[in-house]
Amino acid sequence: MSHLTIKKVCLECNIEFTAKSNKGTYCSKKCFKRNYRKLLKKNSIVIPKVKPILTKESIKSKHYLSVKEAVISFEISEVTLRRLIKLNKLNYVCIKNRFIFLKRDIQNILSHHS
């Protein structure tokens, strides 16, 4: 350990302190951590999650529909669609707790109900 007294200014809080070595740049561990977090935030890349907006035109070419897509495409309520699922009137496939339907099955059921 060195017996030198080196006066330096902290890079984070700009307070003068006595450094223990000539490499000291922060007055405390708290300032070091604060500066480290700032550098992490500055250098991190944040990719925003953008969900595509569903429209009837974007759904027309699809043969399989999710619940939200079916609601938009056929202009029915989600409650009605889920009721048809519960009553086993609509064929579906469940993948990771998501219901997928054939477009023509929904058309057939809605034409029979009308």
Side-chain angles (χ1 to χ4, degrees):
M1 181 152 162
S2 171
H3 295 289
L4 298 172
T5 54
I6 304 166
K7 297 280 185 184
K8 288 198 170 189
V9 177
C10 179
L11 294 178
E12 184 60 32
C13 62
N14 296 323
I15 295 174
E16 190 175 300
F17 70 100
T18 305
K20 294 179 182 177
S21 71
N22 60 352
K23 294 180 182 179
T25 51
Y26 302 102
C27 64
S28 65
K29 201 168 188 174
K30 186 177 180 181
C31 284
F32 173 79
K33 286 182 179 181
R34 191 179 299 148
N35 191 5
Y36 179 73
R37 284 189 209 109
K38 280 183 185 177
L39 288 174
L40 284 180
K41 282 183 183 178
K42 183 177 157 185
N43 294 333
S44 67
I45 299 170
V46 178
I47 301 171
K49 293 182 180 179
V50 178
K51 292 184 179 179
I53 298 171
L54 296 174
T55 60
K56 282 187 179 183
E57 290 77 32
S58 65
I59 298 171
K60 277 185 181 179
S61 62
K62 291 186 173 185
H63 297 291
Y64 297 96
L65 300 175
S66 68
V67 173
K68 288 185 180 182
E69 291 170 341
V71 165
I72 291 169
S73 181
F74 295 106
E75 295 178 353
I76 58 173
S77 71
E78 189 174 333
V79 175
T80 303
L81 196 61
R82 293 196 183 275
R83 189 179 305 122
L84 291 172
I85 294 168
K86 191 174 181 181
L87 296 172
N88 290 327
K89 292 187 177 182
L90 184 59
N91 295 329
Y92 63 90
V93 176
C94 190
I95 302 171
K96 291 186 180 179
N97 295 330
R98 295 183 66 206
F99 294 106
I100 308 292
F101 316 97
L102 269 173
K103 195 175 194 176
R104 67 168 186 244
D105 289 344
I106 299 172
Q107 288 172 337
N108 291 338
I109 288 177
L110 293 178
S111 64
H112 290 297
H113 281 280
S114 299

